Amino acid sequence: MAAGGADRVTLTLLRELDRDLFSPTLVLMRREGPLLPGVPTDVPICSLDGHSLWTAWWLLARLLRRQQPEILFSTSSGANVMAALASLLTPGRRRLVLSERSILARRTRLKSIVMTRLKRWLYPRADCITAVSLGVKRDLLRRLRLPEERVQVVYNPVLTADLTGRAAEAPSHPWFAEAPPVVLAAGRQVAAKGFDCLLDAFARIRRHREARLLILGEGPLRPDLEAQITHLDLEDRVSLPGFDPNPLACMARCTLFVLSSRREGLPGALIQAMACGAPAIATDCSAGPAEIISHGDSGLLVPVDDPAVLAASIEQLLGNPGARAAMALRGRQAVQRFAVEAVLPAYTRALLGDEPSP
């Protein structure tokens, strides 16, 4: 139960699923992570105590033989192959539902090639596959050659009832008490998030505008990002404070929010920021942002890996408070379709096997 999007969605579903219909048990590779204390007390937790998804399928198969659940729901793209393999090799009838959360990696590494081929073999054996966005569904149909009717688009339940209260809390970073505008970004420090491109864009802005950049999150690329910040002479204007248990407080007070990703499924941080009233700029990567933002109306979409255009768009909004306010209002309205109450019925249908509404 780390701090990623899949973990947060899992936690929300465990809290919100109708207990008259479901009696959920949470299965983890390891019983750890910052979101673990938030698991509802009525949800049993089973730890596989595994060290790798590649070898943990037999641990899950052993658990399935003992517990014989009616539904096995994998909420993480990385665990889908393990879950499908364990279910396939375990006696008994259960409904297998797999959730794909991002487009499939296109790297040529052996691991990625093997994973794609395993998914091509195993996914047709699932009873239902949910994709978090239309872009992810299209990628699945094309890359895995799945029949269209086997994949349902089910948006993430990103906006929860406690959002307003959490957004009203005091932010964790001191910059929000000072005058210069704060550009905010959030996510794991990995290549897919494009923070290196964002830093290059911000360096262009910093030459002639007083502003600060705050990037929430943690990850393996922290040393690279810190070295880039030093190289660009941005130490006094960029902060990497790490994991924030309540990023909503910062989202509600930032001047604007930027998503610089190279690859996404359905970016929850972007949805949360817009719901908190932050005007937003996002890269138009192959899945996600274009289903959230209407360019020029509820936000701005920019090309992937283009720091010049990203810098110009940030400049455009920093210099126009009226446009920011109007965009923030329309953005807040646009993301209400990702609220729990709007999304949960689709998850219920997918889990129970009911046909989705037209």
Side-chain angles (χ1 to χ4, degrees):
M1 293 298 288
D7 310 270
R8 294 182 184 278
V9 169
T10 300
L11 186 60
T12 298
L13 290 174
L14 290 174
R15 290 171 173 170
E16 300 292 341
L17 285 173
D18 187 346
R19 293 305 194 264
D20 290 333
L21 297 174
F22 303 103
S23 179
T25 294
L26 175 63
V27 181
L28 300 173
M29 279 282 288
R30 291 179 297 278
R31 186 174 178 142
E32 61 186 26
L35 298 185
L36 193 61
V39 176
T41 56
D42 70 333
V43 177
I45 301 175
C46 297
S47 176
L48 298 178
D49 297 324
H51 299 288
S52 169
L53 286 172
W54 292 93
T55 58
W57 62 269
W58 70 272
L59 298 171
L60 179 58
R62 187 171 62 183
L63 180 65
L64 293 177
R65 282 192 290 270
R66 287 202 311 268
Q67 297 208 0
Q68 291 295 320
E70 294 177 272
I71 303 167
L72 176 60
F73 179 31
S74 173
T75 61
S76 166
S77 299
N80 284 347
V81 166
M82 178 191 72
L85 189 60
S87 183
L88 179 66
L89 299 179
T90 304
R93 175 60 187 155
R94 69 194 62 82
R95 182 170 173 80
L96 176 62
V97 181
L98 306 176
S99 177
E100 193 62 58
R101 318 208 68 81
S102 186
I103 63 172
L104 301 181
R106 285 170 167 79
R107 298 184 297 268
T108 57
R109 290 188 306 168
L110 179 61
K111 181 177 178 181
S112 296
I113 294 171
V114 171
M115 183 64 75
T116 299
R117 291 183 178 178
L118 283 171
K119 288 185 175 184
R120 190 173 292 165
W121 173 55
L122 289 168
Y123 276 34
R125 291 162 171 78
D127 295 284
C128 178
I129 301 162
T130 67
V132 297
S133 65
L134 183 58
V136 170
K137 176 176 179 175
R138 289 170 176 160
D139 183 67
L140 282 175
L141 297 180
R142 182 175 64 254
R143 301 283 303 284
L144 301 187
R145 304 166 191 164
L146 294 168
E148 185 167 0
E149 64 273 10
R150 298 297 300 279
V151 184
Q152 299 180 23
V153 175
V154 180
Y155 287 135
N156 287 332
V158 178
L159 307 183
T160 54
D162 62 349
L163 182 142
T164 301
R166 292 175 63 204
E169 294 178 6
S172 57
H173 203 280
W175 279 356
F176 293 100
E178 301 175 19
V182 176
V183 177
L184 179 67
R188 289 196 69 227
Q189 293 168 355
V190 293
K193 296 301 180 182
F195 291 140
D196 55 330
C197 178
L198 177 57
L199 289 173
D200 285 341
F202 192 74
R204 296 169 183 250
I205 295 167
R206 182 67 180 85
R207 294 170 190 162
H208 46 84
R209 181 180 288 276
E210 194 70 18
R212 290 173 172 175
L213 173 62
L214 181 64
I215 303 177
L216 304 178
E218 198 54 78
L221 291 188
R222 170 177 283 274
D224 298 319
L225 296 176
E226 290 175 338
Q228 185 179 2
I229 289 168
T230 300
H231 174 72
L232 295 172
D233 193 24
L234 294 174
E235 295 100 319
D236 61 339
R237 287 297 177 263
V238 177
S239 177
L240 308 176
F243 171 73
D244 188 334
N246 181 21
L248 302 177
C250 296
M251 292 171 174
R253 291 162 179 82
C254 68
T255 310
L256 59 92
F257 182 87
V258 176
L259 182 96
S260 53
S261 298
R262 298 181 172 101
R263 185 176 72 252
E264 283 287 353
L266 188 77
L270 175 63
I271 294 169
Q272 287 179 320
M274 293 170 66
C276 290
I281 299 171
T283 48
D284 192 11
C285 50
S286 55
E291 294 177 53
I292 301 168
I293 287 177
S294 175
H295 178 64
D297 180 68
S298 54
L300 296 179
L301 295 172
V302 300
V304 174
D305 272 329
D306 193 329
V309 175
L310 180 57
S313 298
I314 294 173
E315 283 271 20
Q316 176 186 339
L317 288 187
L318 287 179
N320 194 331
R324 289 202 309 270
M327 195 168 286
L329 177 61
R330 292 190 292 266
R332 193 194 296 265
Q333 295 167 346
V335 296
Q336 294 310 306
R337 65 189 185 279
F338 304 109
V340 168
E341 58 271 19
V343 172
L344 202 60
Y347 265 109
T348 300
R349 290 193 297 269
L351 291 172
L352 294 180
D354 298 336
E355 290 296 321
S357 301

